Amino acid sequence: GENVEQHPSTLSVQEGDSAVIKCTYSDSASNYFPWYKQELGKRPQLIIDIRSNVGEKKDQRIAVTLNKTAKHFSLHITETQPEDSAVYFCAASSGGGADGLTFGKGTHLIIQP
Amino acid sequence: DTAVSQTPKYLVTQMGNDKSIKCEQNLGHDTMYWYKQDSKKFLKIMFSYNNKELIINETVPNRFSPKSPDKAHLNLHINSLELGDSAVYFCASSQSGTGNGYTFGSGTRLTVV
């Protein structure tokens, strides 16, 4: 089955700086890679996703890149703000069926004022 | 107008009891899931149902029994609760074939004492 590794487990950055979270996956059949943000006591919420036919996708301060050959994908947050503090999860799925998502173990992002 | 709703939000019960968690989605999705989030925040899929048919049954004790009366509902029944079952259980739904739209419910925090 799919295995998703996520690094780092904790990331502390100064407000206004950029944050990068990296994930690798093992199953070459995976073709859908979402990122979720989870605030304390809340549900995971989708913030951005990318499919295997695209190398990069951007939405305002958030971008995701995908390297299919290396089976790597990364989340980039620019101009970080205090409200970006949360746990971020990457995930992978074969996407087309009812396979569900395989999650990384999460990154606790701390934005220092 | 909640898209994926779970009840109850909190559940405190004694070891050995049997309990149920209910989930309903109004997104018209054909696939529903149960995920478990443990104390270390790791999110792991337990079950998935597509059009009321069980698709994924990960290595979960058979004390856990999902039931899907229709494609908008997926309930989780747990027999003989153990301390290690304490976790947050998230229901989610998606539309198969599109590879997107995974939406999570607000979670049920189960505490077994």
Side-chain angles (χ1 to χ4, degrees):
Chain A
E2 176 65 275
N3 182 45
V4 177
E5 299 283 341
Q6 182 172 348
H7 299 280
S9 56
T10 304
L11 178 60
S12 182
V13 301
Q14 289 292 124
E15 183 179 348
D17 287 351
S18 295
V20 180
I21 302 170
K22 299 184 178 183
C23 289
T24 60
Y25 62 99
S26 61
D27 188 353
S28 55
S30 289
N31 58 12
Y32 176 63
F33 306 93
W35 285 87
Y36 284 82
K37 176 182 179 182
Q38 188 178 28
E39 295 174 337
L40 190 63
K42 302 272 182 74
R43 75 187 78 193
Q45 297 222 305
L46 179 70
I47 55 171
I48 196 167
D49 57 11
I50 192 167
R51 298 179 196 287
S52 56
N53 59 349
V54 175
E56 184 173 354
K57 183 176 177 180
K58 191 172 179 181
D59 182 4
Q60 298 184 333
R61 298 186 296 108
I62 295 173
V64 57
T65 58
L66 172 65
N67 182 330
K68 276 174 51 180
T69 305
K71 298 199 187 85
H72 288 171
F73 57 115
S74 300
L75 178 71
H76 304 252
I77 306 174
T78 58
E79 300 171 22
T80 53
Q81 299 168 4
E83 55 264 36
D84 294 331
S85 294
V87 179
Y88 291 79
F89 293 94
C90 63
S93 169
S94 65
D99 293 348
L101 297 170
T102 300
F103 282 90
K105 292 193 173 180
T107 296
H108 186 193
L109 177 62
I110 301 164
I111 307 301
Q112 304 278 6
Chain B
D1 195 15
T2 306
V4 181
S5 59
Q6 286 178 239
T7 54
K9 191 168 175 61
Y10 299 98
L11 189 51
V12 180
T13 188
Q14 290 189 325
M15 281 174 54
N17 283 351
D18 303 339
K19 290 292 177 187
S20 292
I21 307 171
K22 296 186 176 183
C23 180
E24 176 181 3
Q25 55 96 3
N26 63 6
L27 297 166
H29 289 164
D30 62 358
T31 307
M32 296 184 72
Y33 312 86
W34 280 108
Y35 287 83
K36 180 180 180 180
Q37 187 169 42
D38 62 23
S39 58
K40 295 184 179 177
K41 303 292 187 188
F42 186 44
L43 269 164
K44 187 168 167 57
I45 191 166
M46 300 171 70
F47 302 102
S48 88
Y49 269 76
N50 177 259
N51 282 317
K52 302 193 299 175
E53 183 185 343
L54 180 64
I55 302 297
I56 293 175
N57 183 354
E58 290 294 321
T59 308
V60 176
N62 58 14
R63 298 181 294 103
F64 290 78
S65 53
K67 280 194 173 52
S68 182
D70 56 61
K71 69 178 190 178
H73 294 84
L74 180 62
N75 304 323
L76 183 65
H77 188 76
I78 315 170
N79 289 328
S80 303
L81 278 155
E82 300 177 356
L83 293 176
D85 298 332
S86 296
V88 180
Y89 293 84
F90 285 100
C91 177
S93 71
S94 73
Q95 182 62 31
S96 64
T98 64
N100 63 3
Y102 289 92
T103 303
F104 284 84
S106 56
T108 296
R109 181 174 292 278
L110 172 64
T111 303
V112 182
V113 296

